[in-house]
Every structure is written in C-alpha cells, then in structure tokens.
Amino acid sequence: MTARKPTMEDVARQAGVSLKTVSRVVNQEPHVSPVLQRRVQEAISALGFRRNEAAARLARGATMLTIGLIMENISNEFYSRLAKSVEASAADHEALVVFGSYEERPERERMLVESMYARGVDSLIIVPSAADHGWLAEHGGLTTVFVDRVPRGMEQADVVLLDDVRGGRMATEHLLARGHRRIALISDDEAFSSVHDRARGYRAALREAGAEVDESLVVRGVFDPWRAGHEVARLLALDDPPTAFFATNNRAAIGIIQALRERPERPAYVGFDDFALADVFNPGVTVVRYDVTRLGRSAVDLLLSPSGTARRVKVPVELVARGSGERPPPAR
C-alpha cells in the first residue's frame, strides 16, 4: 500500500499555524515572521512535504511544467540512466520531460536550448559541452541547472557534480596499493571540469605516493571504445609500458576490455562509471561508481526550488572492487 503524501494541511497542523501561513512560506511570499517561517520549515522537513510544482503553476495560470533535459548522447548508458532518473523525479511533481542530445557538437547544444525556449520550455537541466555558456544570460526567465560538469562563462549557476577529484584519487590509490607505478590515464576532453578533476585526482595520488607523473602515459580526447582500445595497444607497445590503466569514463573502460581480449599482457584497470555487465566479465571490472538517481533527483530539486545564489551539490563516489583493479604488476 502506497503511503499518502503529506499535504499543506498536514504541515499547518504540525506547525500549529494557518493554511495561509504555510502557503505563504511555501510560495516564498512576504509578511511571515521569522519565527513562523522556522516552524513551518521544521514541519516541512519532519513530514517530508514537497510542493506540487505543476499545481502551483496551474494556480498561477501557467501551463503544466515541462523540463528540458539536454545531454551529450543519450545512447551512452550514463546519459540514459540520468534521463530515467530525471524523468522519475519530475513525475513526482507531475511535470513532463523532453530530451535532446547534442552529440558532442556545441552548436547543436545551443540550438536545442534555443528551440526548447522558443516553445515555452523555460526550465532546463543541461550536461554542458566544453563551449562557453555565457550566452545563456540572454534568455531572461530561463531557469537552468547543470549536471556532471561546471559550465564555462557562468559564475552564478546551480550545478550538481560528482566528487570527481576523490574518484580519480581513489582509483589511482587502489592501483598504487597493488604495487603499480606505471599507471596510464585514458580520458576524454580535459576541458570538461569532470574529466579535469578526475585527472587531477589521478596526478595527486601519484605525486603523494612518490610515483612519477609520466605525461606520455596520459591519453586525452577519447570518446569511443575503438579509440581507447587503439591507445591501449599503443601504450602497451612502449619500451616501458604501463602495468595499469585508469579510464575516466565507461566508454574508455569498454575499450580497454576489448583491447586486452587477445593480448598476453594482463594489466590492471579501473574505470570511472559503472555499466551493465561490468560484474559479468572475467575478471569483473573494478569501477568508481555513484548513485545516478541521486544525481538526477538533486538536479530536479534545485530546478524546482530556485534561489538567488549559486548552489553546488556534490554526489559522493565509491570504489567497487571486482577483480580487474586487483591484479599485481608483472614480476620484473
């Protein structure tokens, strides 16, 4: 049996105030004393009350809330899971979600924003490209929340991020603890804040362990498994090859798996992002993972509770050991 969602009437009873007072606090209207505001907010927290944004918009004469979600590529498992999370969270507010993928093309990202805005979609969740996003300031009344990456050119922005520095450090420290010192980094564009921070964690872990940060083992700009596999083969052919790899995204991790299928070498590797069947491979893929549902829900919550100040939400990460990251380096 599904539990009944708390209402504003429940909040009013809990706080010992009138329904009108609760309505004023929820809708951020003036003329409510700080004491009453605090009582109402405490009741809201205790009951887990969440305002029905769709109903609030209809009461103001607005249309049903529609949220636009603009991502890099929905065919990537990370983005499809994020879309599912955003859609589920939006449904709690009886809001609709429309999707768009810009396929690694910043000009298409802007086209999607302009197109949605022209059609009345003024609430957007965006996984930003590496382009400058200062142009968004041209659109008055547009509410945006950015996910996974910090946008360039927008100092005042709500952003939901992963703890990327910690994730990069965690993956590298895990490999260092198994005796590896020649650890390669397979990453995409470090112009993305998420990739930059994962690489920063990687470098920091190496330095703190007294291991060399060899930039010849760092590969950038890898966006597909084929390219990742090609780079793995190239690195393993070096006179002093890496004994371990850290992949900053799920596509690079899959490329490592493909590259190692028919090779005699058995380097260790850790991926960032969990993915389907990662625990089925032999060995299973050791990954840095996180709660995608929390990522999407946090973005929707920020979007539907606008504030006058820029907010940052950081979603924690964890390392899941499955076998690939636990291999020791070969005996010398």
Side-chain angles (χ1 to χ4, degrees):
M1 183 177 180
T2 303
R4 182 177 68 87
K5 293 182 180 180
T7 64
M8 284 203 292
E9 289 85 353
D10 297 326
V11 174
R13 281 193 294 272
Q14 176 88 358
V17 299
S18 69
L19 181 60
K20 182 62 177 176
T21 297
V22 175
S23 177
R24 283 175 173 162
V25 173
V26 168
N27 292 295
Q28 300 179 351
E29 296 176 6
H31 312 306
V32 180
S33 72
V35 172
L36 290 183
Q37 285 188 33
R38 185 167 58 254
R39 282 167 56 183
V40 172
Q41 291 294 351
E42 289 173 352
I44 286 172
S45 297
L47 295 172
F49 170 78
R50 299 175 76 177
R51 184 172 77 159
N52 186 324
E53 285 293 327
R57 287 173 66 89
L58 290 171
R60 297 194 301 269
T63 58
M64 177 171 282
L65 176 64
T66 300
I67 296 172
L69 175 58
I70 297 175
M71 303 168 291
E72 185 177 288
N73 191 336
I74 199 170
S75 65
N76 183 304
E77 185 175 346
F78 165 74
Y79 294 112
S80 61
R81 290 164 65 199
L82 177 64
K84 181 179 179 181
S85 171
V86 168
E87 191 169 41
S89 298
D92 289 342
H93 299 275
E94 299 180 17
L96 302 175
V97 180
V98 293
F99 307 97
S101 295
Y102 54 83
E103 308 288 344
E104 301 165 13
R105 289 180 289 164
E107 71 279 3
R108 178 168 169 78
E109 176 195 24
R110 181 164 184 168
M111 182 273 289
L112 287 168
V113 172
E114 302 277 9
S115 178
M116 289 186 183
Y117 186 70
R119 288 165 172 77
V121 180
D122 57 6
S123 299
L124 296 177
I125 295 173
I126 303 174
V127 179
S129 69
D132 189 296
H133 286 76
W135 56 270
L136 281 168
E138 302 169 8
H139 300 287
L142 181 63
T143 303
T144 56
V145 173
F146 296 92
V147 176
D148 189 49
R149 305 165 182 166
V150 178
R152 296 174 59 195
M154 291 191 68
E155 295 182 1
Q156 296 298 312
D158 289 337
V159 189
V160 182
L161 300 169
L162 299 171
D163 196 344
D164 291 301
V165 174
R166 177 169 170 74
R169 180 189 293 270
M170 192 182 294
T172 309
E173 288 175 344
H174 188 76
L175 295 167
L176 288 164
R178 272 69 191 171
H180 297 279
R181 290 297 180 271
R182 298 279 293 168
I183 302 173
L185 177 71
I186 309 294
S187 74
D188 40 6
D189 191 348
E190 285 195 36
F192 298 137
S193 65
S194 56
V195 180
H196 176 270
D197 286 349
R198 292 168 198 179
R200 186 154 63 95
Y202 156 84
R203 292 186 177 93
L206 288 173
R207 291 191 187 99
E208 290 176 14
E212 180 187 3
V213 181
D214 186 347
E215 292 297 330
S216 70
L217 300 183
V218 175
V219 177
R220 301 175 180 86
V222 173
F223 291 97
D224 62 76
W226 180 88
R227 170 78 191 282
H230 174 80
E231 293 297 334
V232 168
R234 180 184 64 80
L235 290 170
L236 290 176
L238 295 174
D239 291 337
D240 188 11
T243 63
F245 292 85
F246 168 41
T248 64
N249 60 62
N250 54 12
R251 294 159 295 184
I254 291 170
I256 292 173
I257 295 169
Q258 292 174 340
L260 297 180
R261 279 183 305 184
E262 299 179 2
R263 296 188 66 96
E265 303 95 329
R266 283 294 175 263
Y269 56 93
V270 177
F272 200 112
D273 298 331
D274 208 354
F275 57 94
L277 305 181
D279 58 343
V280 173
F281 291 98
N282 184 21
V285 183
T286 297
V287 297
V288 175
R289 74 177 179 189
Y290 44 86
D291 185 353
V292 180
T293 298
R294 184 170 174 178
L295 199 67
R297 184 175 64 246
S298 296
V300 172
D301 287 346
L302 288 183
L303 193 69
L304 299 184
S305 57
S307 169
T309 58
R311 296 166 292 178
R312 294 282 175 92
V313 174
K314 188 170 287 187
V315 174
V317 298
E318 63 176 345
L319 189 136
V320 181
R322 296 191 177 117
S324 71
E326 292 67 66
R327 291 168 166 167
R332 296 277 182 178

